[in-house]
Amino acid sequence: MAGRRDKVQSIRGSRIVVAIVIGVLVGCVFAFLFPHGFFSSNPPIQNRRTIKSNYQSGSSCESPERVNMLKSDIASLTDRNVELKKQVRKLTEKLRLAEQGKDHAQKQVMVLGDQHKVGPMGTVKGLRTNPTVIPDESVNPRLAKILEEVAVGKELIVALANSNVKSMLEVWFTNIKKAGIINYLVVALDDPIAEFCKTNDVPVYKRDPDVGIDSIARTGVYLRNPFDYLYRDSDVESMTDGHNNMTAYGYNDVFDEPSMGWARYAHTMRIWVYNSGFFYIRPTIPSIELLDRVADRLSKEKAWDQAVFNEELFFPSHPGYTGLHASKRTMDYYLFMNSKVLFKTVRRDDKLKKLKPVIIHVNYHPDKLPRMQAIVEYHVNGKQDALDAFPDGSEW
């Protein structure tokens, strides 16, 4: 029995050896016939050569078409690049404005938040500036497009003009160009002025004239860029009709009534009115409310717009009336100069007449055009006696 088992095991061992040998031989055969394997992604050399040859032949036939396609792609990418640059500029401007308002936003949070700390005595500061509003371009898309092209940092100078002030308007925009100011716009109240501006390459917006706007004559002479001299810490910054520190910036005026005996003296705080011919407004709710109030009153009553401007800006709340809550700043009257300061004081002072104002507004004199021209001769062309022939005031 033992010999039989040994024989069976010997036969099984021989079969295994034979199977291994056959497997090795089959493997060698397949290795020789299919050197790249059954599932190789690379075709045989002969096939690869055929494919390459066909591709080269096809590309030579299609090369003009491909060149045109590439040219079209390049042109499309160029246009896209220009558009992306515009978007980058817009985003950069938004980022700048966001950074500019960062400090203000932090102050707002401090003031409007739940916890209020006023700080030590002598260091208490209130929030001086209101947040700006978001523009609504849908109100006037045509104007919005013009403003986007003209404004710098969302700021620009606006002047209203009709044919009555054509000569003064020309002096105005000529000196604005000389001063290097590019962000300005003329609101034309009639077709001749609109055409006049277009002919002289002046940005213009044409609108229908309002009732009662017949004597627009508020153009001044620009000698420097006013945007370099603004504080931007108030809703309204305006030039003044005042001619010295007291009248321009305020003073304690004592009213005397002898019949009151012991209480005959009453103290009043006074300031000369703001000149509505030149003022800067931030795009805030209070400043827009100011313009809205002025426009509403002028549409309903016959009144002087400068008087209405000051009344709405300064009158406090009282029974039956809610005052405007707007912050105000009076401009430096030597930089933003009215014609009284110039002709009565500055031109007669050897030190003061060396100053170069930002703007001179001819508001105190009816002979506006010749005085504007004389101002240009003096400050721009250097003619030292250009102002001498004019009297301090008007001769009626």
Side-chain angles (χ1 to χ4, degrees):
M1 293 293 291
R4 187 177 180 180
R5 283 198 300 270
D6 292 338
K7 187 177 180 179
V8 171
Q9 291 177 352
S10 176
I11 293 172
R12 289 179 179 174
S14 299
R15 289 179 179 175
I16 292 173
V17 172
V18 172
I20 292 172
V21 171
I22 292 173
V24 171
L25 290 175
V26 172
C28 290
V29 171
F30 276 101
F32 177 76
L33 294 178
F34 304 99
H36 300 287
F38 285 108
F39 306 104
S40 174
S41 59
N42 299 321
I45 295 176
Q46 183 177 0
N47 291 340
R48 289 207 304 271
R49 289 176 179 172
T50 303
I51 292 171
K52 183 177 181 181
S53 176
N54 290 339
Y55 173 77
Q56 290 176 341
S57 175
S59 64
S60 63
C61 294
E62 296 174 358
S63 58
E65 182 179 350
R66 287 187 59 79
V67 168
N68 291 334
M69 290 176 60
L70 288 172
K71 288 182 178 179
S72 177
D73 290 343
I74 291 172
S76 177
L77 289 172
T78 302
D79 294 339
R80 179 60 178 165
N81 188 42
V82 172
E83 183 63 28
L84 287 174
K85 286 182 178 179
K86 291 182 180 179
Q87 293 180 7
V88 168
R89 284 197 294 268
K90 290 181 180 179
L91 290 174
T92 302
E93 176 62 20
K94 289 181 179 179
L95 179 61
R96 187 188 68 81
L97 294 173
E99 290 293 331
Q100 188 178 14
K102 183 179 179 181
D103 183 59
H104 166 71
Q106 291 175 342
K107 289 181 179 179
Q108 261 198 316
V109 171
M110 292 175 61
V111 173
L112 301 177
D114 295 333
Q115 303 207 355
H116 296 194
K117 285 188 176 181
V118 296
M121 183 180 296
T123 65
V124 180
K125 300 291 182 183
L127 184 64
R128 283 169 170 73
T129 55
N130 288 307
T132 57
V133 298
I134 300 173
D136 186 358
E137 298 180 356
S138 65
V139 174
N140 191 331
R142 182 167 64 91
L143 178 59
K145 184 178 180 180
I146 296 175
L147 295 179
E148 184 179 2
E149 296 173 354
V150 175
V152 175
K154 296 186 177 180
E155 295 179 333
L156 77 162
I157 299 169
V158 178
L160 275 69
N162 58 22
S163 297
N164 295 334
V165 294
K166 180 179 178 181
S167 298
M168 287 182 285
L169 178 66
E170 186 172 15
V171 175
W172 179 82
F173 66 65
T174 298
N175 283 278
I176 274 189
K177 292 179 179 181
K178 286 182 180 179
I181 303 169
I182 60 174
N183 49 331
Y184 64 98
L185 178 69
V186 174
V187 177
L189 301 179
D190 54 41
D191 292 329
I193 284 295
E195 292 301 319
F196 179 65
C197 290
K198 292 176 183 178
T199 302
N200 288 276
D201 195 26
V202 173
V204 62
Y205 168 71
K206 172 66 172 62
R207 53 153 296 171
D208 295 330
D210 289 334
V211 177
I213 301 182
D214 296 324
S215 57
I216 302 295
R218 297 224 171 138
T219 47
V221 179
Y222 285 74
L223 304 173
R224 290 193 274 180
N225 192 331
F227 294 104
D228 296 335
Y229 299 89
L230 298 173
Y231 286 82
R232 299 177 175 85
D233 63 347
S234 303
D235 296 308
V236 179
E237 293 181 52
S238 178
M239 68 176 298
T240 175
D241 271 358
H243 58 93
N244 55 28
N245 287 349
M246 288 178 56
T247 56
Y249 308 139
Y251 62 102
N252 182 2
D253 184 41
V254 179
F255 177 78
D256 184 11
E257 191 176 6
S259 63
M260 288 298 295
W262 176 82
R264 64 181 292 180
Y265 300 112
H267 292 261
T268 67
M269 301 307 299
R270 297 190 63 186
I271 184 174
W272 285 30
V273 296
Y274 282 173
N275 191 292
S276 61
F278 184 85
F279 59 91
Y280 171 81
I281 61 171
R282 296 180 66 247
T284 64
I285 293 297
S287 59
I288 295 174
E289 182 183 0
L290 168 64
L291 298 180
D292 191 50
R293 288 186 177 203
V294 172
D296 181 62
R297 281 188 57 183
L298 292 177
S299 67
K300 298 175 180 178
E301 60 186 86
K302 189 175 182 179
W304 184 25
D305 57 354
Q306 179 166 300
V308 175
F309 175 81
N310 280 271
E311 289 169 3
E312 293 297 335
L313 188 58
F314 284 98
F315 281 175
S317 297
H318 55 264
Y321 175 79
T322 301
L324 182 73
H325 298 277
S327 56
K328 303 167 285 291
R329 170 179 281 275
T330 305
M331 291 175 165
D332 187 327
Y333 63 89
Y334 283 133
L335 293 179
F336 299 87
M337 191 180 296
N338 61 58
S339 57
K340 179 177 182 178
V341 174
L342 174 64
F343 286 98
K344 187 176 180 180
T345 306
V346 171
R347 67 168 174 166
R348 303 191 184 282
D349 188 293
D350 290 337
K351 292 182 179 179
L352 292 177
K353 68 181 183 180
K354 295 178 182 179
L355 295 173
K356 187 175 183 179
V358 175
I359 178 177
I360 299 177
H361 187 51
V362 186
N363 61 316
Y364 271 98
H365 302 87
D367 51 339
K368 298 182 184 298
L369 180 57
R371 289 189 187 249
M372 289 175 66
Q373 293 169 336
I375 290 169
V376 173
E377 287 295 321
Y378 181 82
H379 282 288
V380 179
N381 300 328
K383 188 177 179 181
Q384 295 301 307
D385 61 347
L387 306 177
D388 294 348
F390 297 93
D392 289 354
S394 64
E395 297 178 342
W396 295 100

